Amino acid sequence: ELISNLSSDSRSNISIGYHQSESTDYITTTYSPELSAQRHLVIYEYDNVNKVKYSGFDLELGYRNSNHQFQTSYNYLDVRNSETNTRLEDRPYHQIKTSYQWNLADLKMNWLMYATYQKDEAVPSAFETVANNSFLTLNSTFSHQPFKYFKWSLGLENILNTFRSYDTAPTQF
């Protein structure tokens, strides 16, 4: 694993990392078309992979001052079964996370927005086609503490709700 922090001051952060590793007896989940067809649900079962290889890199950027904080990160990850050289299911190649926080300490108010984008997830081979193999979600939370022992929050989650979906084989359901 290699990590480099390129920050020039305490307010900003830039870091780049590369990682590669292996693990043994990795527990994962795999899609079960038989159980899914029997129960008319999408069912995953636990599975053991003898040897797994991870490789990827991360890029992180951040900035903060007394009232504002911004962070964003890009992650590329390739997770493979070392014996078959196939990707493990439900692991995306690309993921971007971004957050912005506005803190008004004098008024005891805080607003946070958080977005996640994910693309190119390894899909189960039992699915015929992939209707949407990426998603973008946006979450927002506002909180206010007008008194010492009273705090209220309002949150909105999955505002964009563009999650991926699969088309299953007609014989399964």
Side-chain angles (χ1 to χ4, degrees), residues 15 21 30 40 43 50 63 85 118 124 127 129 135 137 159:
S15 64
S21 65
T30 55
H40 302 288
I43 296 177
N50 290 332
Y63 175 79
N85 198 34
Q118 185 169 294
F127 288 97
T129 61
F135 74 81
T137 183
I159 296 170

Side-chain angles (χ1 to χ4, degrees), residues 33-47:
E34 297 82 18
L35 286 175
S36 297
Q38 289 172 5
R39 299 186 183 151
H40 302 288
L41 298 168
V42 177
I43 296 177
Y44 284 77
E45 294 182 300
Y46 288 108
D47 193 13

Side-chain angles (χ1 to χ4, degrees), residues 106-172:
D106 294 343
L107 299 174
K108 298 182 181 178
M109 288 192 255
N110 188 350
W111 179 51
L112 173 67
M113 290 199 67
Y114 187 88
T116 301
Y117 176 74
Q118 185 169 294
K119 184 177 180 182
D120 294 332
E121 191 170 300
V123 298
S125 58
F127 288 97
E128 289 184 339
T129 61
V130 179
N132 180 20
N133 195 3
S134 65
F135 74 81
L136 174 64
T137 183
L138 179 65
N139 301 313
S140 181
T141 304
F142 176 81
S143 62
H144 181 225
Q145 186 172 3
F147 311 108
K148 185 176 180 179
Y149 297 106
F150 178 77
K151 180 180 179 179
W152 66 275
S153 297
L154 173 66
L156 299 171
E157 296 183 355
N158 299 330
I159 296 170
L160 301 175
N161 199 20
T162 60
F163 287 97
R164 61 163 165 64
S165 63
Y166 302 125
D167 291 336
T168 57
T171 56
Q172 291 179 352

